[in-house]
Amino acid sequence: MALDPETVRLLRRHERAQRRLPGERWSPTSPIFTAGSGAPVQPSYHTHRFHKLVAASGPPPVRLHDLRHGAATLALASGIELKVVQGTLGHASIVLTADTYVSVLPQLYHDSARATARLVLKAVRATNRKLGKARDST
C-alpha cells in the first residue's frame, strides 16, 4: 500500500513509542496497533471505538466503511485516475469503481474541460506568435 510521507512519519513515531513500552516484544512482523497486552487489536474494537468517537464529535451517524468511500471520493476529486483508485480499493473491475463513484465524475468532467481549453488556448497563442513573426519578416 502506498502511503504519503506524513502518514509514514506518524507510523514511524508510533513504532518508536511501541518499542519503548516496558515489556514490549517488538518485531518487524508485529501488528502496528496492539492492545495493552501486545495482542493484535480486534477489528470489532475499532468499529466500536469509531462509533463512540463519531457520537461524541457530533456529525451525523457514519459507518467506518464510509471512510473508504470518502477516501476514494477525495482521491477522484483531487484528480487521481480512476484506474489508480480501482487498484487502491481492490476492485476487480473499473466499472464497479466508476459506477460506485459516478457522483464525483461530473467535477472531473469540468476539470477536464478546463484543462483541455487551457491546452488549446496555449496552442492558439503559440500559433499566433509564429504567424506574427512570419508577417513581420515579410
Side-chain angles (χ1 to χ4, degrees):
M1 171 178 269
L3 297 173
D4 64 281
E6 180 63 12
T7 301
V8 171
R9 185 186 71 75
L10 292 170
L11 287 171
R12 287 199 171 127
R13 185 170 79 181
H14 175 74
E15 176 189 359
R16 286 190 300 274
Q18 290 290 99
R19 287 180 180 208
R20 288 192 298 268
L21 289 175
E24 183 71 23
R25 292 188 178 144
W26 183 89
S27 82
T29 59
S30 294
I32 295 172
F33 300 101
T34 60
S37 65
V41 177
Q42 295 299 312
S44 60
Y45 170 79
H46 291 298
T47 302
H48 173 75
R49 183 78 176 132
F50 177 78
H51 286 293
K52 285 183 78 165
L53 291 169
V54 168
S57 63
V62 62
R63 299 169 302 146
L64 184 59
H65 186 75
D66 294 334
L67 297 180
R68 174 181 166 90
H69 293 297
T73 300
L74 289 172
L76 288 168
S78 69
I80 302 302
E81 292 187 30
L82 191 58
K83 187 71 176 166
V84 173
V85 175
Q86 173 206 354
T88 300
L89 296 174
H91 290 164
S93 165
I94 198 166
V95 173
L96 171 63
T97 309
D99 286 348
T100 303
Y101 299 101
V102 73
S103 63
V104 177
L105 298 179
Q107 178 60 43
L108 297 179
Y109 293 137
H110 291 289
D111 294 346
S112 173
R114 283 191 292 273
T116 302
R118 278 193 305 271
L119 185 65
V120 169
L121 292 173
K122 182 179 176 182
V124 167
R125 285 190 291 272
T127 301
N128 285 340
R129 281 192 299 274
K130 287 180 185 177
L131 291 174
K133 287 180 184 177
R135 273 181 276 184
D136 292 342
S137 64
T138 57

